[in-house]
Amino acid sequence: MLLLTEGPLAPLRDRPIADRVARAATLRSGYRDHPVDLADPRGADPMAEIRDHELAGANAYHTGVPPYHARIPHAVADLLLRRPLIDRLLAVNERLVPYDLELWVFDAWRSLAVQNHFHDHWMPDRLRGLHPEWDTAQIMAETERYFARGADGAIDPLSPPPHATGSAVDLTIRHRHGAELFMGTIFDDLSAAANTAHFEGEPEGLAFSHHEARANRRLLYWLMAEAGFANNPTEWWHFSLGDQMWARLTGRPAAYYSVPSDAPSAT
């Protein structure tokens, strides 16, 4: 077994991401208005359960991991993702095999009901508790840095929340069947520390935690980028391919994934 400080992946831990993430942050605004090509045949790609294809994970909203400590209303146990994206994640896993590491998925396809629960209730409630002086506009602006809302009752196929497309995935790297690599925050830490490039600056002193988090975030970022995924610059764990955010950040004229035809009936 290779150590992360040696072998082919070691250079990825040393490769900066600050400039790329900063550029993505400037492009991210307005991504829900980016065109979606509903005629693209790739839009019909089916979804599949990732754990049926030798990928590991557990739906964080169904299991109630921190910071929730409870199952989110309407959450399902499934981890559904477009089939071509599963193949790309398997290719990433192959690169991790010599290190006895693997990807660990927190969330993939997400129902509209779960998405809107976070947008309408969970996040605003916590922001009001932290910032009672904030008005509604400030609350919603901060909320929408992390959660996109879908229309009540149906999803606009030309502006779907990323996870509703089945082409966005939240994940990390872990020791095979063991502990996750240290990334500096827990999953869904909705703060500045969750920004992908948060640890890119050079700290004073030894700062072992800072250096380890930076190296591990770089590793995850480059593994996923080299597999074709785009990262949401406000969330180190969020990657997508084929949706509006991916198209916006990578300069594609249009996304090709919208609402999957084989999505579960839960909304």
Side-chain angles (χ1 to χ4, degrees):
M1 181 183 72
L2 291 174
L3 301 176
L4 277 173
T5 53
E6 61 190 25
L9 297 188
L12 300 186
R13 287 166 46 92
D14 295 327
R15 187 187 300 175
I17 60 175
D19 289 347
R20 285 176 59 108
V21 175
R23 180 177 180 274
T26 65
L27 294 172
R28 181 183 181 277
S29 178
Y31 76 89
R32 292 282 295 277
D33 296 324
H34 202 81
V36 181
D37 183 0
L38 298 178
D40 192 306
R42 291 173 292 185
D45 289 339
M47 293 198 297
E49 165 61 61
I50 69 158
R51 290 165 295 192
D52 291 340
H53 297 276
E54 299 183 357
L55 289 168
N59 192 313
Y61 305 128
H62 190 263
T63 58
V65 301
Y68 309 111
H69 298 284
R71 183 175 297 175
I72 299 301
H74 311 291
V76 297
D78 306 296
L79 287 172
L80 302 173
L81 197 62
R82 299 281 189 158
R83 188 67 181 83
L85 274 65
I86 291 176
D87 291 336
R88 290 175 183 255
L89 296 184
L90 289 171
V92 173
N93 258 1
E94 282 299 311
R95 300 182 68 182
L96 293 169
V97 166
Y99 297 86
D100 202 31
L101 297 171
E102 64 183 349
L103 296 174
W104 174 263
V105 175
F106 298 114
D107 185 35
W109 174 84
R110 189 185 301 166
S111 74
L112 183 60
V114 170
Q115 187 75 23
N116 286 351
H117 171 79
F118 282 119
H119 182 280
D120 296 348
H121 302 291
W122 192 90
M123 187 66 171
D125 288 349
R126 274 138 191 87
L127 289 173
R128 290 187 190 99
L130 287 170
H131 301 285
E133 75 282 7
W134 283 12
D135 61 21
T136 300
Q138 288 174 293
I139 293 289
M140 294 318 300
E142 183 67 10
T143 293
E144 290 177 355
R145 291 184 65 209
Y146 302 99
F147 296 107
R149 196 184 195 285
D152 291 323
I155 298 175
D156 180 355
L158 295 178
S159 186
H163 280 279
T165 67
S167 60
V169 60
D170 297 334
L171 46 66
T172 190
I173 300 170
R174 73 169 188 173
H175 296 278
R176 192 168 292 273
H177 309 298
E180 298 166 14
L181 296 190
F182 178 67
M183 296 289 180
T185 75
I186 62 172
F187 164 67
D188 267 9
D189 181 303
L190 303 181
S191 71
N195 293 345
T196 307
H198 179 75
F199 292 102
E200 279 298 294
E202 192 62 40
E204 294 183 4
L206 295 175
F208 292 130
S209 293
H210 183 114
H211 285 105
E212 188 65 20
R214 181 173 66 187
N216 290 333
R217 286 192 187 191
R218 287 174 173 178
L219 174 63
L220 178 63
Y221 179 92
W222 288 117
L223 283 171
M224 295 296 289
E226 290 175 3
F229 290 84
N231 168 251
N232 179 352
T234 65
E235 301 176 348
W236 60 258
W237 54 81
H238 178 110
F239 295 86
S240 65
L241 195 159
D243 69 344
Q244 286 172 291
M245 187 181 295
W246 168 86
R248 179 82 161 197
L249 299 185
T250 60
R252 266 68 169 192
Y256 52 86
Y257 284 137
S258 180
V259 183
S261 61
D262 56 349
S265 58
T267 59

